[in-house]
């Protein structure tokens, strides 16, 4: 009987410790998610062929590094389905914005990725 009581107390102590550690980890993840570490600005114009691949790579990199990111898409007059693709990506928990060219403000910490295609006309 005493052995069973000792096991129950040990299990209770271990589970309490795990709950405290999980709470501390969740709070640190929430604090990191509130302030993005990196801001990517992706310049697009008729970039529907490569846009999804670039965004997925950025999200994959963010996932494995454990650092949240923010992505802004800056459109320079797309005539293909780039705007429709952006509306799909707005569902992600990351901050996606579609800005027109000239609206963006430039910070030194921003990382700019240029996907603009040369126009064939």
């Amino acid at each position: 009987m005493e052995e069973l009581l000792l096991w129950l107390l040990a299990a209770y102590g271990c589970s309490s410790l795990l709950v405290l550690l999980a709470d501390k980890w969740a709070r640190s993840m929430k604090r990191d998610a509130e302030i993005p570490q990196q801001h990517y600005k992706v310049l697009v114009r008729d970039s529907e062929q490569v846009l999804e691949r670039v965004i997925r790579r950025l999200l994959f990199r963010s996932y494995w590094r454990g650092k949240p990111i923010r992505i802004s898409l800056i459109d320079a007059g797309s005539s293909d389905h780039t705007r429709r693709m952006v509306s799909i990506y707005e569902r992600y928990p990351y901050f996606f914005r579609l800005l027109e060219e000239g609206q963006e403000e430039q910070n030194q910490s921003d990382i700019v990725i240029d996907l603009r295609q040369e126009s064939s006309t």
Side-chain angles (χ1 to χ4, degrees), residues 57-86:
R57 284 185 182 181
L58 289 174
L59 294 176
F60 182 75
R61 182 178 180 188
S62 168
Y63 174 76
W64 282 107
R65 284 188 172 186
K67 295 182 180 178
I69 61 172
R70 183 174 59 173
I71 300 173
S72 295
L73 300 171
I74 301 164
D75 187 24
S78 296
S79 61
D80 60 356
H81 296 293
T82 303
R83 287 183 175 271
R84 186 180 303 164
M85 292 176 68
V86 171

Side-chain angles (χ1 to χ4, degrees), residues 3 9 18 20 22 33 42 45 48-50 52 57 71 83 119-120:
E3 189 176 315
L9 288 174
L18 285 175
L20 288 174
V42 181
R45 180 177 61 219
E48 69 177 326
Q49 300 294 325
V50 294
E52 181 177 6
R57 284 185 182 181
I71 300 173
R83 287 183 175 271
S119 51
S120 59

Side-chain angles (χ1 to χ4, degrees), residues 88-120:
I88 293 170
Y89 287 119
E90 289 174 347
R91 299 177 194 161
Y92 281 96
Y94 300 93
F95 184 70
F96 284 96
R97 281 193 306 187
L98 180 64
L99 300 172
E100 297 297 328
E101 192 173 33
Q103 283 183 329
E104 73 274 3
E105 63 280 349
Q106 185 67 29
N107 295 332
Q108 286 190 331
S109 62
D110 295 347
I111 300 169
V112 178
I113 302 172
D114 193 354
L115 298 179
R116 295 178 288 188
Q117 301 289 325
E118 293 295 324
S119 51
S120 59

